[in-house]
Amino acid sequence: MMLEVTNLNVFYDNIRALTDVSFSVEEGEIMTLIGANGAGKTTTLITLSGLKKAQSGTISFLGKDITKTTPQSRVAMGMSQSPEGRRVFPGLTVLENLEMGAYLRKDDISADMEKVFAYFPRLKERRKQSAGTLSGGEQQMLAMGRALMSRPKLMLLDEPSMGLSPLLVSEIFAIIRQLNEAGTTILLVEQNAAVALKLAHRAAVMETGRIVLSGTGEELSRSPAVQKAYLGG
Amino acid sequence: MLFLSQCINGLQLGSIYALVALGYSMVYGIIRLLNFAHGDVIMIGAYIALLTIGAGVNPALAVVLTILGCVFISVLIERVAYRPLRSAPRISLLITAIGISLLLQNLAQLLFSANTRPYPGAAIIPTKALRLGALSLSLSTIVTILVSVGAMTALHLLIQKTRIGKAMRAVSEDTGAAQLMGIDINKVISVTFAIGAALAGMGSVLFCCRYPIVNPNIGSMLGLKAFVAAVLGGIGSIPGAVVGGFAIGFAEVLVTALGFSAWTDAVVFVILIVVLLFKPAGLLGRGVAEKV
């Protein structure tokens, strides 16, 4: 098991954001968490990355309990995140953003840089530009490329489709599939349930801070409850 | 010729303000704190030079000790007073900074008395005048300008080219995203305070060589003026701090040259009021968008 989350409880002051969230991600798969705005998907991811502390529960990554470790030690262990809203560093150039993604690496990063440019050729054209001048789609590519630069074993992707045209969404999702086929395990958080379920091996549905349903991507896309609530049918 | 020598005068004063303003701006950029204790660290630096040279320490070594002392105190203040308040409301942090400023001033009064003492500026930079044609320049003016320009160039290269410099920019733009990259923000914040304090330490030596007196309050006015310089340039902006520092230096020299030397402090604060009224983001600031 690559990632195992057990009974995670997270609060913002007195407001409960996550209630007994448990799920797991197996090596080599694409797992997706779907759900409406405010369901707790982003809170789950930032707790996994260590930006938010869990009140109780455990997170185990590659067999080690990482619940209380620092964000940087989780990156060092092989977890990286492309966060909600992309959060590229607007004043840094595309190249510098990618360098920041490789911050903890001491070895040569040029091969990985080329790999990122192969996935996202548009970033290469704009490598000297500051990230703030990129379009939304390009910023999404940069956020993903930046997360790849640490050579993650597990990549957390938060709403990669947000604000993108349908054409760009399918482009980005095709790349997520390629990344997965190249060996990166992926935990994907999405509001766009239709595309996420098509891509994912396994999925779980979150509602008001709880996991209410889980199964394979296919099972969930056939579930009447999911169809009614998230697939517009 | 008078005009030229006044310009050089402004350059000297301006480069000192710029050195101090850089510390304000860097710290603001990284943790959104107006570190009002910054000026008082400069005062502590002045006492370190005064006491070590008084005890017979080699002046060059005393300068190094001044800079190291400023770095040590600043990093300690961040660790003890500011870090525990990292997630507290910004106003608590600001009040704490003012508290630390008062603490340092009163501590200095207790330890060194409130008396004004002469600063051994001549031991650090010999009082010598150099003639350039009809122009006469003091050695301290030349040293001040060269040291400041050198330090600012080094800072620019550090921030633009090195790994830690890029990490500082990343943390100042988005602390959370920087953590997701594996950047240890505590380390980056400590380094930022250390660099700001090293510049302040140099500023302390250069300022006291120009106005060679020391008392527990010398830091507060210098600190306030450098703060105005940082705001004028756009708080959080590194080039802004340099531009603001020189602008305030030139403004003071101009006011003095026109015969209103009693008004220099007032003019600086009028500049602050005008900036806050008409261009609160400063000359090179990035706008005042709230971080969410």
Side-chain angles (χ1 to χ4, degrees), chain A residues 87 89-91 96 99 103, chain B residues 163 166 169 173-174 182 184:
Chain A
R87 293 175 74 170
F89 303 113
E96 287 169 337
E99 286 172 24
Y103 187 75
Chain B
R163 178 168 178 267
K166 288 173 192 172
R169 282 153 63 207
E173 292 196 344
D174 188 334
D184 180 349

Side-chain angles (χ1 to χ4, degrees), chain A residues 49 51 71-72 75 81 83 87 89-92 96 99-101 103-104 106 146, chain B residues 160 163-164 166-167 169-170 173-174 176-184 187-188:
Chain A
S49 277
L51 297 197
Q72 61 265 26
V75 176
Q81 179 171 168
R87 293 175 74 170
F89 303 113
L92 272 61
E96 287 169 337
E99 286 172 24
M100 286 299 104
Y103 187 75
L104 291 177
K106 303 264 185 272
R146 190 178 63 172
Chain B
Q160 292 301 323
R163 178 168 178 267
I164 185 77
K166 288 173 192 172
R169 282 153 63 207
E173 292 196 344
D174 188 334
Q179 284 179 290
L180 291 179
M181 304 298 106
I183 295 172
D184 180 349
K187 191 177 131 200
V188 171

Side-chain angles (χ1 to χ4, degrees), chain B residues 14 26 33 84 92 112 132 179 193 211 235 254 265 268 277:
Chain B
M26 288 169 68
L33 161 71
S92 315
F112 313 122
L132 268 171
Q179 284 179 290
F193 271 84
Y211 302 109
I235 188 105
L254 180 70
D265 293 355
V268 171
L277 282 177

Side-chain angles (χ1 to χ4, degrees), chain A residues 18-40:
Chain A
L18 297 184
T19 308
D20 289 327
V21 167
S22 301
F23 66 94
S24 62
V25 182
E26 275 165 50
E27 189 165 350
E29 73 172 350
I30 301 178
M31 160 84 186
T32 185
L33 295 176
I34 59 170
N37 210 355

Side-chain angles (χ1 to χ4, degrees), chain B residues 107-158:
Chain B
L107 195 67
Q109 221 173 83
L110 198 69
L111 291 175
F112 313 122
S113 89
N115 296 336
T116 296
R117 297 204 230 171
Y119 186 82
I124 297 170
I125 308 173
T127 33
K128 230 195 258 170
L130 293 153
R131 299 213 135 268
L132 268 171
L135 197 65
S136 165
L137 293 173
S138 78
L139 184 60
S140 80
T141 304
I142 297 169
V143 170
T144 301
I145 295 170
L146 290 181
V147 167
S148 308
V149 170
M152 287 178 223
T153 311
L155 177 70
H156 175 79
L157 291 176
L158 178 102

Side-chain angles (χ1 to χ4, degrees), chain A residues 61-77:
Chain A
F61 179 50
L62 300 169
K64 283 205 185 99
D65 182 356
I66 59 161
T67 319
K68 296 208 157 55
T69 59
T70 59
Q72 61 265 26
S73 71
R74 302 184 196 196
V75 176
M77 281 182 74

